[in-house]
Amino acid sequence: MGADRAGGMGGERRGRRPVFRSLPWKIGSLVAAAALAVAVADGLLVHRLSQDRMMTEGRSRAMTSLQQEVTTSERTGGALRDLITDPAEMPPEVAAIGRAGKEGVWYDTRVRNGPRMWAVTPLGGGGMGAVWVDMSANRRDLAALDRNLAGAGALTVAVAVPAGILVALRLRRRVRHAAATARRIADGDLDARIGASGRVHDEVTEMAAAVDTMAAALQERLRAEQSFTADVAHELRTPLMGLVTSAELLPEGEATGFVRDRVGVLRALVENLLEISRLDAGAEHADLAPVPVGEVVAESVRRTGLDARVAVDGAPVAETDPRRLDRIVANLVINAHRHGRPPVEVRVARDGGDVVVTVRDHGPGLPDDLLAELRADGPRRFRTGTPERGRGHGLGLTIAAGQARVIGARLRFANAPDGGAAVTVRFAASDEGTSDGVPG
């Protein structure tokens, strides 16, 4: 069958993204990482500043205590209890500072009962004096501060992450709504619009406005093209009728037969254009009724005047429009003869809750690239296959696909395993009645 065939009525939906690749997951992870990094950086900074202040205060306390002890010792003329003058009672580091004749401090963390801040200064006669102050309370305060910072950081992450996820979920809903609307537009619903989402004015709103503007412009352009097609077909109809009448008045002969044949082709083309314009404008509406599908299909094949074998399994009945079903089947059979090879077979059967009409030929079938294109994009007007597969106007299956949409049927195009192209028309069966099948 020819390249005029339509593919599936739309591309397959993409599968859902893994959770870890979704927008809320990514934004939540980013917010968590950012909040944790800020909390850790702030904690480290506050800890360092607090520790430096503690050490500065400890040094000041130790030096002040040392000066008081030395002053008191010189005034009383004897060593006090808190002033240590024996190097053996001092940490080696403190004693080394005193032996060097320097004044200094040293922080000792090796004491079991808590850290100490030592201060040492040289004394007269080559000696040294040192005192220490307890830093345990300062260390406990610093540990408590670290715990508070950790708790505040955890609380910040616990609040920031859900807030970020909520924002991401709202953003995802807006993006998904925009994507779904874009898919509807791509599938032919040119009235679909994303619309404004509240009072938020951001990049998503700008994108939605741009898509809506694009859809409106595309809709207007398509309507203009459809109107042009309909106007041309209507304008051609009047002179065409005159041409048909004139051809009938010609004397019989070989040239007359050729003229009448070409006039008939032109007439069919104009009628097809008119039908497509009505389908595009949405002016076609189905008149549904319980229909004995086997009988309608057999009669439709008979009226084409073409050789095709019809087989009906059982007596399937469907709720459909018999006139439009006849149009679909006739176009499929004509297309099979035009672009395929005999024998052409038509089969009517039930498949679960559906009725399926299959039209197939025994030609070379559809090329893989063309088959994929037709399944994804549907039929294209005036689209035919390669020259060796025959020529045609490329409107037959465009009409078949349009009439299928009107009656709610689904068309599927494939190549038969044993060769040839196969087109299936699937629509819901009806249980309101039965009919005797009429096999061809």
Side-chain angles (χ1 to χ4, degrees):
M1 299 176 75
D4 177 35
R5 304 173 191 272
M9 301 310 291
E12 297 182 357
R13 293 290 178 89
R14 295 178 180 176
R16 289 185 175 273
R17 294 178 180 270
V19 174
F20 62 86
R21 294 178 59 188
S22 65
L23 187 62
W25 174 270
K26 291 179 178 179
I27 293 182
S29 300
L30 181 61
V31 170
L36 184 61
V38 171
V40 170
D42 287 346
L44 291 175
L45 179 61
V46 173
H47 173 85
R48 181 62 180 271
L49 293 176
S50 300
Q51 187 179 41
D52 290 346
R53 185 179 64 180
M54 179 193 74
M55 297 298 291
T56 300
E57 292 177 351
R59 295 188 189 99
S60 177
R61 286 170 50 204
M63 291 302 299
T64 300
S65 178
L66 176 61
Q67 292 172 2
Q68 291 175 350
E69 290 292 327
V70 170
T71 301
T72 304
S73 175
E74 291 177 349
R75 188 172 59 248
T76 59
L80 300 180
R81 180 176 61 85
D82 292 336
L83 182 64
I84 301 172
T85 57
D86 186 359
E89 298 179 8
M90 305 176 191
E93 294 81 0
V94 176
I97 295 173
R99 291 192 187 97
K102 297 179 181 179
E103 183 179 81
V105 295
W106 187 73
Y107 186 60
D108 187 5
T109 59
R110 296 172 297 188
V111 183
R112 181 185 302 176
N113 295 331
R116 296 174 178 177
M117 184 67 73
W118 286 82
V120 61
T121 186
L123 298 176
M128 68 182 74
V131 298
W132 59 269
V133 294
D134 186 19
M135 299 289 290
S136 300
N138 301 79
R139 189 169 69 174
R140 286 193 298 270
D141 292 343
L142 185 61
L145 177 62
D146 290 341
R147 288 192 298 270
N148 291 334
L149 290 173
L155 180 61
T156 300
V157 173
V159 172
V161 171
I165 291 177
L166 288 176
V167 172
L169 287 173
R170 185 173 183 276
L171 179 61
R172 183 177 68 175
R173 283 194 297 269
R174 296 171 63 195
V175 171
R176 282 187 170 178
H177 172 64
T181 303
R183 283 193 293 268
R184 288 172 56 194
I185 295 172
D187 291 338
D189 183 8
L190 297 182
D191 291 324
R193 297 292 184 271
I194 299 174
S197 56
R199 293 175 295 178
V200 179
H201 297 283
D202 54 13
E203 288 80 359
V204 177
T205 303
E206 294 179 4
M207 179 197 69
V211 172
D212 287 347
T213 302
M214 177 195 69
L218 179 61
Q219 184 179 39
E220 186 63 27
R221 179 172 297 180
L222 288 178
R223 283 177 177 171
E225 292 179 357
Q226 292 167 4
S227 177
F228 174 77
T229 302
D231 292 343
V232 168
H234 279 289
E235 291 297 326
L236 287 175
R237 204 171 192 180
T238 300
L240 179 62
M241 291 301 101
L243 188 60
V244 170
T245 303
S246 300
E248 294 297 328
L249 297 177
L250 292 175
E252 297 296 333
E254 182 178 354
T256 299
F258 178 78
V259 170
R260 288 174 180 173
D261 177 71
R262 293 298 89 191
V263 169
V265 171
L266 180 59
R267 181 178 183 180
L269 173 59
V270 171
E271 293 298 330
N272 285 341
L273 288 173
L274 286 171
E275 185 172 358
I276 287 177
S277 67
R278 291 193 300 270
L279 290 170
D280 288 341
E284 298 287 328
H285 302 284
D287 185 11
L288 302 180
V291 173
V293 179
E295 295 179 5
V296 172
V297 169
E299 179 63 19
S300 177
V301 173
R302 186 189 65 79
R303 281 201 300 269
T304 64
L306 300 173
D307 184 26
R309 295 183 298 193
V310 180
V312 182
D313 295 343
V317 176
E319 189 84 9
T320 187
D321 187 329
R323 183 176 64 85
R324 300 183 191 282
L325 177 59
D326 169 75
R327 189 81 168 113
I328 294 170
V329 173
N331 280 337
L332 293 180
V333 171
I334 292 171
N335 197 69
H337 276 277
R338 178 175 295 166
H339 301 290
R341 294 175 186 168
V344 174
E345 301 174 350
V346 182
R347 186 178 187 85
V348 182
R350 290 194 60 157
D351 182 11
D354 294 338
V355 175
V356 179
V357 179
T358 303
V359 180
R360 64 157 298 186
D361 60 56
H362 288 76
L366 293 167
D368 292 339
D369 56 342
L370 181 59
L371 184 61
E373 174 188 323
L374 297 175
R375 284 178 172 176
D377 301 330
R380 294 184 183 181
R381 300 168 190 179
F382 300 103
R383 175 73 162 90
T384 59
T386 55
E388 63 268 24
R389 289 183 53 80
R391 297 184 301 173
H393 296 301
L395 295 179
L397 291 184
T398 303
I399 294 174
Q403 295 290 6
R405 285 193 295 270
V406 173
I407 64 174
R410 303 186 302 276
L411 267 66
R412 181 178 179 274
F413 292 78
N415 288 324
D418 56 343
V423 185
T424 58
V425 186
R426 179 181 293 268
F427 40 87
S430 172
D431 295 328
E432 295 186 13
T434 60
S435 172
D436 295 334
V438 181

